[in-house]
Structure formats: C-alpha cells, structure tokens
C-alpha cells in the first residue's frame, strides 16, 4: 500500500482529505496499543517527517485504510482509547485555537461546528438543544466502512476528553452509537461518562443543557477574535474552491426536501447530465452513490422525529415503504421500525 499525500493547496486531490498529522497520531496510538508504528509506516511507504508537515493532507480512502491496518496490527479497544484520550485542542490548528479561546463550552462547540470543514469534510457535527438536554451529533458524510469501528468511538471519546480539559471539570452524559456493541466494550464500560447505548439512530453525546454555559479555562477575547477572523478567511477560500462532489452533495435535496434528479441537478450546476456523470466518475463516485449516502443520513435524522416510515420513504423519493425498508436494511442491518423500537427501549 502506497500512501498518497498532498499539500493543502494542491488541486490534484478532488476527494475529501484529512490532516496527515492525524495519521501520524494514529500510528503512535497503534504502537501504544501493542502494534508497531515503524511497521505501519513502512507498509505505507511514507516517512514520519512527511506526515508531520503541518500542511500535508491524506486522501480519505487512504486514511481509512491506515486506520484499518492500525487496528489489525494492534488491539482495537486500545487503539480507540489511546487515540481518543490523546486528543487535544491544539491538534486542530486555528480551529482548535478559536474554540479554546471562546468564553463558554457552548460557544466552543458552535465555533467548532462552523469551522469543522477546515479540518475535513469527511464528517459533520450538529448541536441539538431542547429545554434540558443538549446533543452533540457526529454525522458520517462519507462511509467509513470497517474503519468506523475505530474512528467513531475515538472521536466521541476525544470530544468528551477535550471538553473536560477546557472546562477543568468532569463532564457527565450518555453516549449513543448507531452500531452494534463491540466485543471489547464490557472490558472498558466503567470509564464511560454515563450510560452507553448501541444500535441507535445516530452517533452522539447527550448531556445537560446547563453544561453549555460552563466557562472555559482558556477563554481569551482577543485571541478568539483574531483566530475567528483567520478561520473565516480560510472558510471563504475553501468554499470558493469547493469540489464538484461537495456541490452535488449540497444540491441533492431541494428547498422542500425533495430529491433532485440527476438531470435537474446537472442543469443547476450548468452542465449536461452526461457531463455530470462523467466528471463524478472521474472522482470515483456517482450521482447514485452520493444520493444513497445522503438518503441514509437523512433517514436516520427523520426517524428520530415523529415521521412514520411511510412518510420518510416518500420524503426520500422511494416509490413505496418496502423499497425504503430494503435500502435501510442494507445501510444499517435492521429495519427502520426495529431501529426506532431499539431506541425507545434503550431510553426506557
């Protein structure tokens, strides 16, 4: 396996990327979990110095293969815990500094959400707040496959760990995963910040809304202003150079939530349907594949609401509920009704 890397400004990588330094941290975590950093890097045919370069990026599909290989070389549970607990705000560059200089935990979360795309477009964060409860959700924009077994839990652990470092106090809350319980979980269940539930609609942290008002130990108004200005400039530059895949993803559903056909979407993007399909194929994807991923994400969101399976099916453009149910089983391994029932049972 040869790892391909790019500098951030390179136009040669149309697919999502992650900072190369993250993969170096993964290699370090691999060794701490019983694997070999040297062997992992040797298999990738990349040097540690290359991954340590601040502006170096790694293509997402390569990053996922790195994670899978790191898991094969070490203990999965150890890799998840080590990578998650090693998370630090400064690892995220200007976005991290902008977050840590905010006045409150809530401000830091909102800031991180706004600028998350500067780190990677492979996932999105959402903050949902009700009267008493706040939920920080992690949306998997691009399928992580087997690597998700490491990425998702380590990211949620990392978010929880960083929150505790910024506030200087233990944060209690529940964790929900949209995957089955892993074999190693019971061994480490005691370190969880609260109840952990599996086979849920989304991956998220649940905690008291009042925690959003906690002051940060690192709050600095002047730094917050300057780092936000820096992030805004970077965000404008990123948006102006958005890839075709990103533009398609943003346009798959119209203002009414209905699916845009490939023909209509191509017209909106100023090209023929044939050209759209060809250009997406050049980026190793297709309209059908992108729509499938977007439908999965939206289905999980809608099923958390009061919408019926039939209503969700119609909103997502399926001819009937049976076709939607078959697609949902392919995405999650269970039916929409079973997933919703599991969520209700877990909440008691």
């Amino acid at each position: 396996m040869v790892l391909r890397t790019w500098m951030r400004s390179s136009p040669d990588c149309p697919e999502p990327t992650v900072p190369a330094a993250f993969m170096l941290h993964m290699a370090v975590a691999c060794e701490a979990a019983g694997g070999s950093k040297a062997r992992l890097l040797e298999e990738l045919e990349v040097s540690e110095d290359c991954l340590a370069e601040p502006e170096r990026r790694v293509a997402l599909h390569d990053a996922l293969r790195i994670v899978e290989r790191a898991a094969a070389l070490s203990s999965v549970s150890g890799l998840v815990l080590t990578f998650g607990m090693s998370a630090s705000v400064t690892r995220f560059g200007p976005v991290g500094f902008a977050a840590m200089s905010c006045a409150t935990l809530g401000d830091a979360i909102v800031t991180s959400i706004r600028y998350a795309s500067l780190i990677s477009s492979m996932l999105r964060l959402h903050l949902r707040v009700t009267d008493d409860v706040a939920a920080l959700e992690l949306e998997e924009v691009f399928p992580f496959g087997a690597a998700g077994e490491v990425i998702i839990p380590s990211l949620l652990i990392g978010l929880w760990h960083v929150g505790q470092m910024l506030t200087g106090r233990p944060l209690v809350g529940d964790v929900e995963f949209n995957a089955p319980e892993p074999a190693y979980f019971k061994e480490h269940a005691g370190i969880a910040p609260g109840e952990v539930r599996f086979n849920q609609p989304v991956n998220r942290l649940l905690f008291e809304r009042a925690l959003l008002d906690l002051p940060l130990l690192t709050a600095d108004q002047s730094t917050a202003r300057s780092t936000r200005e820096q992030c805004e400039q970077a965000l404008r530059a990123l948006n102006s150079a958005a890839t075709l895949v990103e533009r398609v993803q943003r346009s798959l559903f119209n203002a009414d939530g209905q699916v845009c056909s490939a023909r209509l979407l191509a017209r909106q993007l100023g090209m023929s349907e044939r050209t759209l399909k060809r250009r997406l194929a050049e980026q190793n994807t297709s309209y059908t594949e992108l729509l499938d991923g977007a439908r999965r994400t939206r289905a999980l969101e809608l099923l958390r609401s009061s919408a019926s399976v039939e209503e969700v099916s119609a909103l997502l453009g399926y001819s009937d509920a049976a076709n939607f149910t078959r697609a949902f089983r392919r995405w999650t391994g269970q039916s929409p009704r079973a997933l919703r029932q599991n969520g209700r049972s877990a909440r008691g």
Side-chain angles (χ1 to χ4, degrees):
M1 168 184 169
V2 179
L3 176 67
R4 296 181 297 147
T5 63
W6 291 265
M7 300 305 289
R8 182 182 292 273
S9 59
S10 172
D12 300 324
C13 182
E15 63 183 300
T17 61
V18 299
F22 282 22
M23 294 301 99
L24 180 56
H25 292 307
M26 180 63 67
V28 172
C30 173
E31 186 153 69
S36 168
K37 179 179 70 174
R39 180 179 173 184
L40 180 63
L41 295 180
E42 182 180 356
E43 290 185 4
L44 303 177
E45 298 184 21
V46 66
S47 70
E48 186 170 334
D49 289 341
C50 175
L51 293 181
E53 293 182 26
E55 293 299 308
R56 187 72 66 175
R57 311 283 297 183
V58 175
L60 177 60
H61 82 275
D62 279 338
L64 297 179
R65 292 163 67 193
I66 293 171
V67 175
E68 290 179 15
R69 189 60 188 143
L73 292 173
S74 63
S75 157
V76 175
S77 62
L79 188 64
V80 168
L81 291 174
T82 303
F83 190 70
M85 295 300 288
S86 68
S88 64
V89 185
T90 55
R91 182 179 294 180
F92 300 96
V95 178
F97 285 106
M100 68 185 294
S101 59
C102 290
T104 67
L105 181 61
D107 291 339
I109 292 174
V110 171
T111 296
S112 300
I113 291 173
R114 175 164 179 77
Y115 303 124
S117 60
L118 295 177
I119 302 169
S120 179
S121 59
M122 71 176 188
L123 56 84
R124 298 190 187 101
L125 295 174
H126 304 280
L127 179 63
R128 318 232 186 242
V129 182
T130 61
D131 291 339
D132 302 314
V133 178
L136 183 57
E137 299 180 358
L138 194 158
E139 177 191 347
E140 184 180 331
V141 178
F142 295 86
F144 294 161
E149 183 181 2
V150 173
I151 295 174
I152 299 298
S154 64
L155 284 176
L156 290 178
I157 290 173
L159 290 170
W160 166 60
H161 179 60
V162 166
Q164 295 192 127
M165 289 193 297
L166 291 178
T167 60
R169 56 168 287 176
L171 301 179
V172 178
D174 297 338
V175 188
E176 294 185 346
F177 294 102
N178 69 356
E181 179 179 323
Y184 64 77
F185 172 71
K186 288 183 173 59
E187 178 184 352
H188 303 288
I191 70 169
E195 184 180 353
V196 181
R197 295 182 284 270
F198 297 92
N199 294 311
Q200 300 301 301
V202 294
N203 299 296
R204 61 180 180 171
L205 298 173
L206 290 161
F207 49 92
E208 292 182 3
R209 179 176 181 171
L211 295 182
L212 295 174
D213 297 324
L214 289 177
L216 300 192
L217 300 176
T218 50
D220 185 297
Q221 186 175 3
S222 176
T223 302
R225 184 181 302 112
S226 62
T227 51
R228 283 177 182 172
E229 289 176 357
Q230 183 180 355
C231 288
E232 284 295 333
Q233 291 177 359
L235 192 63
R236 286 194 291 271
L238 179 67
N239 289 338
S240 65
T243 67
L244 176 63
V245 170
E246 293 168 329
R247 291 162 62 198
V248 169
Q249 288 177 317
R250 289 198 293 261
S251 306
L252 284 168
F253 295 94
N254 62 25
D256 296 325
Q258 302 298 315
V259 174
C260 280
S261 67
R263 180 176 298 179
L264 178 59
L265 194 150
R267 188 183 310 151
Q268 293 174 352
L269 296 176
M271 63 185 76
S272 68
E273 182 179 357
R274 182 176 180 179
T275 298
L276 173 63
K277 291 180 177 179
R278 175 178 55 78
R279 290 185 58 186
L280 288 176
E282 290 171 353
Q283 298 188 24
N284 300 313
T285 189
S286 66
Y287 166 83
T288 301
E289 183 177 345
L290 295 176
L291 178 60
D292 194 56
R295 277 172 160 169
R296 176 187 182 278
T297 298
R298 183 155 294 196
L300 291 170
E301 292 178 349
L302 290 170
L303 287 171
R304 291 183 54 235
S305 68
S306 58
S308 68
V309 173
E310 289 72 20
E311 289 171 332
V312 174
S313 172
L315 286 170
L316 295 180
Y318 287 93
S319 57
D320 54 49
N323 285 332
F324 166 61
T325 297
R326 280 192 290 272
F328 196 84
R329 283 186 183 278
R330 174 167 51 81
W331 297 328
T332 66
Q334 58 185 316
S335 71
R337 289 185 172 85
L339 184 139
R340 177 175 277 173
Q341 185 59 46
N342 286 338
R344 289 170 181 162
S345 299
R347 288 186 286 272

